């Protein structure tokens, strides 16, 4: 998986450089893993601007302007919050594209309708926001690695 993530990060970097875009990340369940993956690439300072690790609901509100009422209404693990996180990362950075992750990596934290492994993603560029919700199998580390890889794959599709 690590080689896949490195390869995806390299491809994301090339795609961003081709467009002259900078990236911001807004992460909860991945704990900065997407930012780490992209900064593992030499020269990433040319296309990676900043990352937000907003693990708590308060951090999502304080740093990314995610409305507390939205979190209360739909839950932090939702496509709506993933969208708001990505939009907030764009609004609070000098970037053209952002990716967000929010989910339940486990082993605890499951709630009705949101089993362990549920991860919501957001990708934003300007007024365009795309979201997805997936459920990954495996332990905490496996869920996080799959989420990082999926965030990068989605970013690659979104940039192109």
């Amino acid at each position: 998986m690590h080689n896949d993530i490195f390869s995806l990060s390299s491809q994301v970097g090339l795609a961003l450089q081709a467009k002259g875009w900078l990236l911001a990340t807004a992460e909860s369940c991945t704990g900065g893993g997407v930012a780490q993956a992209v900064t593992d690439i030499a020269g990433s300072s040319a296309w990676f601007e900043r990352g937000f690790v907003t693990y708590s609901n308060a951090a999502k509100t304080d740093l990314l302007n995610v409305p507390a009422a939205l979190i209360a209404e739909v839950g932090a693990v939702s496509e709506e919050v993933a969208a708001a996180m990505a939009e907030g990362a764009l609004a609070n950075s000098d970037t053209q594209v952002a990716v967000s992750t929010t989910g339940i990596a486990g082993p605890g934290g499951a709630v009705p309708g949101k089993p362990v492994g549920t991860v919501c993603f957001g990708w934003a560029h300007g007024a365009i926001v795309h979201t997805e919700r997936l459920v990954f199998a495996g332990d905490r580390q496996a869920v996080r690695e799959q989420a990082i890889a999926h965030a990068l794959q989605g970013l690659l599709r979104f940039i192109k």
Side-chain angles (χ1 to χ4, degrees):
M1 181 60 101
H2 296 296
N3 288 341
D4 294 346
I5 289 173
F6 189 84
S7 173
L8 284 167
S9 296
S10 298
Q11 293 172 58
V12 165
L14 292 171
L16 286 166
Q17 282 185 289
K19 296 228 177 194
W21 289 359
L22 291 173
L23 170 66
T25 59
E27 301 179 69
S28 186
C29 65
T30 49
V34 177
Q36 180 179 348
V38 297
T39 58
D40 278 346
I41 307 303
S44 56
S45 59
W47 47 270
F48 179 72
E49 205 255 354
R50 70 182 64 181
F52 299 90
V53 179
T54 54
Y55 215 65
S56 71
N57 291 343
K60 290 172 182 66
T61 299
D62 294 348
L63 296 175
L64 300 172
N65 315 114
V66 177
L70 178 66
I71 296 171
E73 182 187 340
V74 297
V77 179
S78 61
E79 289 185 64
E80 294 89 341
V81 168
M85 288 172 67
E87 291 169 323
L90 279 184
N92 291 287
S93 67
D94 187 22
T95 61
Q96 292 73 43
V97 67
V99 59
S100 66
T101 62
T102 180
I104 305 163
V111 294
K114 295 178 187 177
V116 168
T118 302
V119 182
C120 296
F121 301 87
W123 296 274
H125 167 67
I128 302 163
V129 184
H130 179 71
T131 62
E132 282 182 23
R133 174 187 162 147
L134 295 175
V135 180
F136 298 109
D139 65 9
R140 182 176 180 81
Q141 188 58 35
V143 168
R144 287 164 58 118
E145 283 191 6
Q146 291 170 86
I148 292 163
H150 188 77
L152 293 167
Q153 288 163 345
L155 196 51
L156 207 48
R157 287 192 303 271
F158 195 73
I159 295 164
K160 292 179 175 180

